[in-house]
């Protein structure tokens, strides 16, 4: 796993495409989150975004209690990298995965979500078991109501019932604050209703966990969550930048870039060496950082089209803000960590491709 | 780099998501290509698609003369894996890449494309130098005409002028045969015109190389190409399956799948554990293999929505045909190679993420 640069290299000498982390902006984002939350909830950032124990350690140093993951393989990479407390904020189905999950629960504090009694019956190991509540994504999760109480009762027979996973992923990218407010308000009502039903049945609900970078202060203010799971706040991508950002949410800075070089020039276009295998386009094209006249208009697998002006020269390097940080990071093995134009560190993305 | 399965495992026991290669269909596709071409042109398949020396070796065993790559790092992985002849069908810009390219040219027969005299002046090493001709993609490449002759003359001063790279990528996915015919006909006129200008200037043009899976027989029949560069034919993805396929193009079979498990069920949907980090959605959603009533309707990072009926049960496995094979393969470290339901081999995708 050859590193793509060396400590001390200048940013302009890093070979392209490369995934660049601006450490000043990154560290500021971590502090901004901490200051916005003011200790009102626990912070459990999502490692599905960064996939890197070096990032996790910096989040934990600023008060995060542990990590979230979506996959057992991500959790394995985090535990391997020294993270002692991981919640898999997702269902784990299939005999092989459940064996690995049980093995992992002997090495670290591990939580997992369920939304189905059949899946619960298959769980082994020393696990914190959460029920995923369906709060508006229409993806996984149990509908709010008595079904949650019945499942929680079953959990307590053989496991620890740790609480509720209540994440409204769709709300994160609603553009207006008003839409996001309304979505989280509804989610909060589902959570409160379910907590009341659990309390009535005499079942303690130690933790409600959820929320992402686009809404988390709304969850904090709604008062129904004990723990938040933001991921993208550390990096900020072009899609999140399209959201309206207003109080109570603070503003985060772009800290993650794809460095790319112009590899071909024509009068009307510059072609760069970062296409969709270098910057994921599932949530739209990347934007060109601090070159207001330029637009990344189209991607093919290994090429990107830059239009506008003044066009960059052959060999010139540009920084792109990825459309969507999570799948972009998942294309790389390393963060090239840069401070004021110089490579300060290389962090390995050990959970890259960890999809099982 | 832990393998995701073991030889002898049953397909239904492979953990998910996994990238599955159906060896019978794959081998049939390689033969179909060979038989369609009938030796009328040389075959130089594109390794940007498969990124795997094990695939390359099987293509070479059936008569391919070597590989194409888009990136120096891909070419390095191919040479490392035993491929002796690689054409980088793309421009290589930047000091570090050009040094690596020169080093590689001491280990294997290496070709590269240029479209700019400034880039030509930077080339070092023992290289076959091709001029990329712009034939309709409006990406890289020199416009057909006297500019090509001028650049070819400059090449011959210090390097071998090996010929023309003439690839119409956009034509590959035009849905009707008629549109593709027209696009390749125009490209062929550009090639023929440029060859005449080169001949008039007394410059030999040893090879015209180009063409992809969606059009290659049109290039063969046009008679202007010496060498073809198909990649996806070995696998066939859902996007290529939307093309009209008719003579002179043969039909290829779906050989590449993403195996996925149902991880959550609701009355109206099954949620599977393969989202856009497991099957690239840049060219549309994957399709569900041999389950006609089912539709993969939406992807989030780690989840896919299956709608229609009858819906699969919790834990049930499905095979998805990726929307686009190239970026999907680039998400995985291994092909799980299966024949009649049993894992026969594991091939490492050594050029996965090789983007520099």
């Amino acid at each position: 796993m050859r590193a793509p640069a060396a400590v001390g290299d200048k940013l302009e000498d890093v070979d392209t495409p490369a995934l660049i982390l601006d450490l000043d902006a990154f560290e500021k984002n971590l502090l901004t989150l901490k200051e916005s939350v003011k200790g009102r909830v626990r912070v459990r950032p999502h490692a599905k975004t960064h996939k890197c124990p070096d990032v996790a350690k910096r989040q934990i140093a600023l008060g995060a209690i542990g990590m979230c993951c979506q996959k057992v393989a991500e959790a394995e990479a985090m535990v391997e990298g020294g993270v002692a407390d991981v919640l898999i904020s997702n269902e784990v189905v299939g005999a092989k995965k459940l064996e690995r999950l049980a093995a992992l629960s002997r090495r670290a504090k591990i939580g997992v979500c369920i939304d189905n009694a059949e899946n619960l019956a298959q769980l082994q190991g020393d696990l914190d078991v959460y029920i995923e509540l369906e709060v508006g994504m229409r993806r996984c999760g149990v509908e709010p109501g008595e079904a949650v109480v019945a499942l929680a009762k079953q959990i307590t027979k053989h496991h620890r019932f740790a609480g509720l996973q209540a994440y409204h992923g769709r709300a994160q990218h609603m553009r207006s604050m008003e839409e996001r407010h309304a979505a989280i308000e509804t989610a909060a009502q589902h959570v409160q209703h379910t907590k009341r039903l659990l309390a009535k049945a005499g079942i303690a609900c130690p933790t409600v966990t959820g929320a992402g970078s686009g809404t988390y202060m709304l969850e904090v203010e709604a008062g129904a969550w004990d723990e938040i799971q933001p991921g993208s706040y550390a990096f900020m991508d072009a899609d999140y930048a399209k959201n309206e950002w207003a109080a109570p949410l603070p503003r985060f800075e772009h800290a993650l870039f794809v460095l790319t070089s112009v590899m071909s020039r024509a009068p009307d276009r510059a072609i760069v060496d970062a296409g969709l295998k270098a910057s994921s386009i599932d949530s739209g094209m990347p934007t060109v950082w601090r070159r207001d006249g330029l637009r990344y208009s189209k991607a093919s697998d290994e090429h990107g089209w830059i239009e506008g002006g003044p066009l960059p020269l052959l060999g010139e390097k540009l920084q792109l803000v990825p459309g969507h940080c999570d799948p972009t990071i998942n294309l790389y093995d390393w963060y090239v960590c840069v401070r004021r134009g110089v490579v300060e560190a290389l962090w390995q993305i050990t959970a890259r491709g960890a999809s099982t």
Side-chain angles (χ1 to χ4, degrees), chain A:
Chain A
M1 202 73 83
R2 190 179 60 184
V7 170
D9 284 356
K10 287 183 182 164
L11 175 59
E12 59 262 34
D13 295 331
V14 173
D15 205 358
T16 60
L19 189 67
I20 305 294
L21 185 61
D22 179 319
L23 288 173
D24 283 337
F26 165 73
E27 290 167 3
K28 194 168 165 198
N29 287 341
L30 299 197
L31 274 175
T32 298
L33 183 92
K34 183 186 167 75
E35 284 163 10
S36 66
V37 167
K38 292 190 176 67
R40 293 163 70 187
V41 294
R42 296 189 298 272
V43 177
R44 184 188 283 284
H46 221 307
K48 71 176 178 181
T49 300
H50 59 68
K51 290 180 170 272
C52 174
D54 287 297
V55 173
K57 281 175 200 163
R58 278 149 187 89
Q59 293 172 319
I60 290 168
L62 281 178
I65 57 159
M67 289 293 120
C68 290
C69 289
Q70 291 288 68
K71 300 284 190 167
V72 178
E74 288 174 350
E76 288 167 339
M78 288 302 127
V79 171
E80 199 59 48
V83 178
D85 181 345
V86 179
L87 164 60
I88 300 174
S89 57
N90 203 5
E91 288 68 26
V92 174
V93 173
K96 286 189 178 170
K97 281 191 189 65
L98 289 166
E99 277 168 35
R100 287 162 48 211
L101 183 67
L104 202 61
S105 77
R106 293 188 285 272
R107 299 172 59 195
K109 177 173 160 65
I110 301 292
V112 68
C113 296
I114 62 157
D115 70 357
N116 184 301
E118 190 183 330
N119 187 205
L120 171 62
Q122 298 160 341
L123 287 187
Q124 311 156 43
D126 181 23
L127 300 164
D128 290 327
V129 182
Y130 294 76
I131 294 175
E132 181 168 10
L133 198 63
E134 155 44 26
V135 291
M137 284 204 84
R138 307 211 59 72
R139 195 169 69 182
C140 305
V142 182
E143 298 285 337
E146 289 296 343
V148 179
V149 177
L151 194 53
K153 277 183 189 162
Q154 286 188 265
I155 291 172
T156 57
K157 286 181 193 164
H158 302 287
H159 299 277
R160 280 190 300 281
F161 173 58
L164 301 174
Q165 161 76 15
Y167 174 61
H168 196 324
R170 207 162 48 79
Q172 307 307 313
H173 306 276
M174 293 174 177
R175 293 307 178 209
S176 75
M177 287 296 294
E178 196 182 332
E179 286 170 291
R180 276 176 280 152
H181 252 299
I184 299 308
E185 181 55 36
T186 305
Q189 286 165 10
H190 290 320
V191 170
Q192 299 287 23
H193 170 61
T194 306
K195 281 172 83 172
R196 278 193 298 271
L197 293 178
L198 286 165
K200 218 169 102 184
I203 301 170
C205 177
T207 294
V208 177
T209 182
S213 299
T215 64
Y216 74 94
M217 283 304 298
L218 310 180
E219 277 92 340
V220 170
E221 301 216 327
W225 280 262
D226 305 291
E227 193 176 280
I228 58 167
Q229 306 175 349
S232 300
Y233 77 98
F235 304 131
M236 272 299 282
D237 56 35
D239 186 60
Y240 265 117
K242 288 179 192 153
N243 274 6
E244 177 192 355
W245 287 87
L249 286 164
R251 290 192 80 89
F252 296 101
E253 296 190 4
H254 290 300
L256 188 83
F257 305 92
V258 170
L259 188 71
T260 186
S261 302
V262 176
M263 54 180 290
S264 179
R265 266 299 310 271
D268 63 337
R269 65 188 182 273
I271 303 295
V272 293
D273 64 1
L276 62 88
K277 286 179 184 168
S279 192
S280 184
I281 61 167
D282 64 277
S283 301
M285 294 298 140
T287 56
V288 185
W289 181 236
R290 293 188 174 159
R291 292 292 289 268
D292 283 349
L294 300 180
R295 201 162 46 87
Y296 185 111
S297 60
K298 194 166 68 164
S300 57
D301 288 11
E302 293 91 4
H303 300 83
W305 277 253
I306 302 289
E307 296 180 303
L311 282 172
L313 303 176
L314 188 74
E316 196 171 335
K317 288 178 180 172
L318 300 173
Q319 285 182 262
L320 306 176
V321 178
H324 188 182
C325 51
D326 300 34
T328 297
I329 292 164
N330 192 44
L331 298 167
Y332 290 87
D333 292 304
W334 298 88
Y335 293 98
V336 179
C337 304
V338 170
R339 199 186 302 274
R340 283 157 238 162
V342 178
V343 176
E344 181 174 304
L346 292 145
W347 293 347
Q348 202 175 343
I349 304 170
T350 58
R352 202 276 324 146
S355 63
T356 58

